Amino acid sequence: MAEWLAAHTKTLSLWCGALATFAIYSVLYAENRFYRLFEHIFIGLSAGFGVYVTWSQVLAPKWWQPMVHKGQWQWIFAAVLGSMFYFMYSKKHAWVSRVIFGLFMGLSAGLMFRDFYEIYFPQMGASMKPIVGNSISWWDSVNAIVFYAILISSMAYFFFSFEHDSPVVQKTAAAGRWFLMIGFGAIFGATVMGRMTLFIGRLNFLVNDWWPTARVAWQYRFFQTAVVLAVIAVLVQGFRALKARSKTFPPSA
Amino acid sequence: MNVLEKLQTIDRRVLYLLIAAVIAVPLLQRPSRHPRIVFAEVRNAYETLQKVPKNKIVIISCVWGPGTRAENEPQTRAIIRHLLMQGTRFVILSWDQLGSQLTYEDASEISSELGKRYGTDWVHLGYNPGPMYAIIRGLGKSFQEVFKVDRFGKKLRSIPATRNVRDYRDIGAVVEITPSGTVASWIAYFNQPFDVPLIFCPTAVMSAEAYPYLDSGQLDGMLNGVIGAAQYETLIGMENERTYAAAAAWALSCAHIFIIVLIVLGNLGYALSKRSTRRGGGKTIG
């Protein structure tokens, strides 16, 4: 058995992957138990694998071995500090966890200062684009003017410190809102592209990785029987789902 | 109900099937032709890695896991192939438990295909749980003190590829391949303080937000999703090879055209049904 498994690891993993893909995408038809089962299998597997990787690649080589085998006893303090987080589950000793949470909040607040000036200051500087100059072409000037028009109108939209009474401010802010909408549209378009790529990835797996092995397996009677049984099971389940649905939502006259 | 009105009430499951069919054609055909147009940010990324001196190392920071494998894996593979082809040493750093295994398998496969060796040409540093900012800041000051060992527990000082890497001075570039907003940590704690080139490879969702960083020069190049990966493959001489990135680029174009057609038809049907309602006082849909 072990030898057979070792020899067919690749095929088995392809079939498991295909089965999981079909199960997860079955939710596009309707919510079902098959989908839920594989969702839980995925969560369990990734959690289990995560524990293994965290121990084998992080805790064991970087914390346990130096502390136990190399005499670097000071690593014990990491365990003490880390375990302080778990006191949040105790009503009586929750204050212990607040100490470590406070430490991390202070650290994050401090880091934000650095984040702000390292990330946004260069962008503010880069926004001051020259419109004319010796090395500036007419096309660069056009680009810079468009950039300033969008920058100023978008900023005008977010001026909340005073009333937008002046028609100039109103019109500029309205233009800013349009530019923002176009920006959001671009982000949404990119999101569609990203989601579509994820679907393409799965479909590519089914078409180019799994399908060739499925065609090879089709020559075995055992496999043909299994496929027929699976199709019948899916049809029966679908028919039962439709029947239950028509009972819940009777067709209107 | 006429045809255009019916278009507004198509069952979503029919649309899913149609999109799957539209996407499946380029995937089955696997066209070898890569996009001939290469965006400036992709070309800049390529040129940045071309300029990395041979005595320096490149850090490939992978935040991705199986969830965004379809987008981030082609980027990772294209970058790895380029670096191995030009003989630039690199280390892979993974911030995702499952992604750690996937990136190792990718690099191993390409490395054996090109006759390169683990330890001499590249090293995998395994999974790092974070905190990201602390590790990034630390590796700029002392690479060996922060990472110490590779994914197999072998000391970096004893591995030829990483033996002489001391700090930021020995790091030629950083490539951040991610589905999330982690690039800000590299900008704030590595790229800006140490002036090391940074290349960003986000999923398409993240790419629109990255353009201000490119404009300000905080990023030296970008690979925008799988399209960026296909364009990068064109630059490294794979323009006539049947790769997943090329097929995905075509499939993506087909899917986009199909979606645009559906949007146009749906809106046309809506406008016509509204007009007929106004004229005849009929019933509106939806």
Side-chain angles (χ1 to χ4, degrees):
Chain A
M1 182 69 179
E3 281 176 14
W4 185 87
L5 280 173
H8 295 86
T9 310
K10 173 90 176 162
T11 312
L12 283 171
S13 66
L14 285 172
W15 277 93
C16 288
L19 195 64
T21 306
F22 285 129
I24 295 299
Y25 277 124
S26 70
V27 80
L28 292 175
Y29 181 76
E31 170 73 39
N32 61 77
R33 287 178 196 166
F34 192 45
Y35 163 75
R36 284 285 165 207
L37 171 70
F38 274 83
E39 190 187 33
H40 288 107
I41 288 173
F42 174 73
I43 293 168
L45 277 175
S46 47
F49 188 73
V51 170
Y52 161 73
V53 171
T54 306
W55 177 257
S56 66
Q57 293 185 19
V58 183
L59 291 174
K62 292 175 183 172
W63 174 69
W64 182 255
Q65 284 169 8
M67 184 173 67
V68 176
H69 301 298
K70 293 173 187 168
Q72 295 174 12
W73 55 268
Q74 65 273 22
W75 281 106
I76 192 71
F77 290 115
V80 173
L81 289 170
S83 58
M84 284 168 77
F85 282 106
Y86 294 97
F87 281 90
M88 65 188 281
Y89 297 112
S90 160
K91 277 185 184 170
K92 195 177 172 185
H93 303 291
W95 64 270
V96 179
S97 68
R98 283 198 286 274
V99 172
I100 194 79
F101 275 120
L103 189 76
F104 271 79
M105 282 167 72
L107 183 70
S108 303
L111 287 166
M112 279 307 290
F113 284 105
R114 183 175 190 109
D115 279 11
F116 190 83
Y117 80 78
E118 293 282 19
I119 292 169
Y120 297 112
F121 277 31
Q123 288 186 21
M124 288 177 196
S127 298
M128 305 301 121
K129 293 176 190 294
I131 295 176
V132 287
N134 288 335
S135 58
I136 309 290
S137 67
W138 68 271
W139 186 243
D140 290 338
S141 300
V142 171
N143 273 335
I145 289 164
V146 170
F147 175 83
Y148 279 124
I150 294 174
L151 178 74
I152 291 165
S153 51
S154 301
M155 285 176 73
Y157 179 73
F158 289 104
F159 281 146
F160 301 126
S161 306
F162 55 85
E163 291 277 332
H164 289 196
D165 294 330
S166 161
V168 177
V169 178
Q170 280 176 0
K171 293 267 193 289
T172 314
R177 194 173 60 192
W178 275 98
F179 290 133
L180 286 169
M181 289 300 159
I182 292 167
F184 296 146
I187 292 173
F188 184 71
T191 306
V192 172
M193 180 168 130
R195 298 291 176 260
M196 205 57 80
T197 311
L198 301 184
F199 182 52
I200 289 169
R202 278 295 82 195
L203 211 57
N204 180 61
F205 165 76
L206 291 176
V207 167
N208 291 311
D209 296 334
W210 170 73
W211 182 242
T213 62
R215 283 179 66 184
V216 171
W218 187 250
Q219 60 188 306
Y220 300 108
R221 181 148 298 174
F222 165 76
F223 177 72
Q224 291 173 1
T225 315
V227 168
V228 169
L229 287 174
V231 169
I232 291 169
V234 168
L235 287 174
V236 168
Q237 184 67 23
F239 179 71
R240 284 173 61 185
L242 282 173
K243 212 173 164 187
R245 200 179 168 196
S246 62
K247 273 184 188 168
T248 318
F249 306 106
S252 55
Chain B
M1 191 186 281
N2 62 34
V3 177
L4 284 171
E5 284 174 337
K6 274 183 187 168
L7 284 172
Q8 294 175 75
T9 53
I10 300 173
D11 191 319
R12 62 186 164 83
R13 285 163 288 206
V14 175
L15 294 178
Y16 294 152
L17 269 179
L18 285 173
I19 285 181
V22 165
I23 288 171
V25 174
L27 293 178
L28 276 168
Q29 201 206 348
R30 280 244 166 183
S32 60
R33 192 172 179 274
H34 276 61
R36 293 295 189 263
I37 297 167
V38 177
F39 294 157
E41 57 265 28
V42 179
R43 191 173 293 281
N44 289 342
Y46 172 79
E47 283 168 3
T48 303
L49 289 184
Q50 280 284 106
K51 285 178 199 158
V52 172
K54 290 285 178 285
N55 61 338
K56 291 194 177 188
I57 205 161
V58 171
I59 292 178
I60 304 178
S61 161
C62 297
V63 190
W64 61 274
T68 57
R69 187 180 184 182
E71 282 201 274
N72 292 132
E73 193 175 45
Q75 297 169 332
T76 310
R77 291 179 72 93
I79 296 283
I80 288 172
R81 187 175 289 275
H82 181 204
L83 293 174
L84 286 174
M85 277 162 63
Q86 71 169 15
T88 305
R89 291 170 297 134
F90 65 88
V91 292
I92 298 174
L93 174 61
S94 185
W95 306 92
D96 185 278
Q97 293 155 336
L98 300 173
S100 170
Q101 183 65 23
L102 294 173
T103 49
Y104 176 72
E105 285 173 8
D106 284 334
S108 300
E109 187 193 319
I110 299 166
S111 165
S112 59
E113 187 189 313
L114 297 174
K116 302 287 180 176
R117 288 173 60 195
Y118 180 85
T120 311
D121 301 296
W122 65 284
V123 173
H124 196 291
L125 298 175
Y127 163 65
N128 277 277
M132 204 168 180
Y133 55 83
I135 291 176
I136 291 170
R137 181 69 181 159
L139 79 88
K141 291 186 172 178
S142 176
F143 181 84
Q144 303 284 347
E145 285 303 310
V146 171
F147 289 121
K148 293 188 173 78
V149 291
D150 71 349
R151 68 179 270 130
F152 305 109
K154 198 172 179 186
K155 280 189 176 177
L156 295 182
R157 286 190 197 283
S158 64
I159 299 175
T162 50
R163 187 181 293 150
N164 299 320
V165 183
R166 297 159 296 170
D167 50 30
Y168 71 93
R169 288 170 294 176
D170 299 316
I171 297 167
V174 174
V175 183
E176 169 78 342
I177 306 171
T178 176
S180 55
T182 47
V183 74
S185 294
W186 283 104
I187 291 172
Y189 302 106
F190 202 79
N191 162 267
Q192 290 293 312
F194 302 123
D195 198 24
V196 175
L198 178 61
I199 290 160
F200 187 37
C201 304
T203 49
V205 180
M206 299 298 302
S207 61
E209 293 167 37
Y211 281 93
Y213 296 114
L214 278 168
D215 194 46
S216 62
Q218 289 163 299
L219 293 177
D220 294 84
M222 180 171 82
L223 273 65
N224 180 357
V226 76
I227 297 289
Q231 292 179 355
Y232 203 87
E233 285 182 352
T234 305
L235 292 173
I236 59 172
M238 296 174 73
E239 68 270 23
N240 294 320
E241 286 185 34
R242 292 177 188 277
T243 64
Y244 161 70
W250 283 108
L252 209 51
S253 301
C254 293
H256 283 187
I257 292 166
F258 184 65
I259 289 170
I260 290 167
V261 168
L262 287 178
I263 291 169
V264 170
L265 286 177
N267 280 283
L268 199 65
Y270 176 71
L272 287 175
S273 67
K274 259 187 100 175
R275 206 170 69 172
S276 64
T277 310
R278 270 204 302 268
R279 279 185 182 166
K283 217 167 76 175
T284 46
I285 300 160

